[in-house]
Amino acid sequence: MQDISKRKQPSPIDIEVGKRIRAQRRLLGMSQSALAEKLGLTFQQVQKYEKGANRVGASRLQHVADCLSVPISHFFDNAAFDNPVSTEEARVIRNDLVGFISSEEGIELNRAFAKIKDVKTRQKIVGLLKSLALT
């Protein structure tokens, strides 16, 4: 019997990848069961991936990316965090962002924004939101 205190904690990277899998799956309106079926897994396995409890291997991650219609880099991209901030600050920002994007409000906002096809309109909305955030 394995001692609970000796269990290895999930890697922060595995947790982050899992959060991004969950966020993209929810953005698409896909259930864990539907993703699991596409991957040939149980929904419990998808649940473990999303929690970071189980590490997603490279070939499986590529299959997940294909099923979720994103490039594999989506799960690692830190472009939004290019500002020189500490590792801890970046982690907090990332967790807040992933948490918001995964929320019902974040999903609804993302779906609506994605429906706007005109680039200039989208840029104006981003500018408006930035100005509102400063007030």
Side-chain angles (χ1 to χ4, degrees):
M1 191 162 148
Q2 185 179 11
D3 182 5
I4 294 174
S5 65
K6 292 184 181 180
R7 281 191 192 153
K8 187 176 177 189
Q9 294 297 312
S11 156
I13 295 170
D14 294 333
I15 292 170
E16 181 66 25
V17 167
K19 285 179 179 181
R20 290 177 184 219
I21 290 171
R22 180 176 191 267
Q24 184 64 23
R25 176 185 58 75
R26 291 190 67 202
L27 183 65
L28 296 173
M30 184 184 296
S31 68
Q32 286 180 333
S33 296
L35 179 58
E37 187 175 320
K38 288 182 174 203
L39 296 170
L41 304 170
T42 64
F43 83 91
Q44 291 96 335
Q45 185 61 44
V46 170
Q47 203 171 45
K48 288 178 182 181
Y49 286 154
E50 290 184 357
K51 289 180 180 177
N54 284 7
R55 180 171 289 147
V56 185
S59 60
R60 173 89 64 205
L61 188 59
Q62 182 62 62
H63 195 189
V64 170
D66 293 343
C67 290
L68 297 177
S69 303
V70 293
I72 200 166
S73 61
H74 170 81
F75 303 111
F76 302 100
D77 184 23
N78 288 330
F81 310 106
D82 286 341
N83 295 337
V85 295
S86 73
T87 304
E88 180 60 21
E89 287 174 310
R91 186 189 63 73
V92 169
I93 292 168
R94 235 185 342 266
N95 286 345
D96 288 348
L97 179 62
V98 170
F100 172 72
I101 291 171
S102 300
S103 71
E104 292 301 320
E105 188 178 43
I107 290 169
E108 189 176 334
L109 182 63
N110 277 293
R111 283 183 180 150
F113 190 79
K115 289 179 182 178
I116 301 168
K117 300 301 179 201
D118 182 62
V119 174
K120 288 185 180 184
T121 301
R122 287 168 61 137
Q123 289 171 342
K124 288 179 182 178
I125 291 170
V126 170
L128 172 64
L129 291 172
K130 284 181 176 179
S131 67
L132 289 172
L134 297 175
T135 60

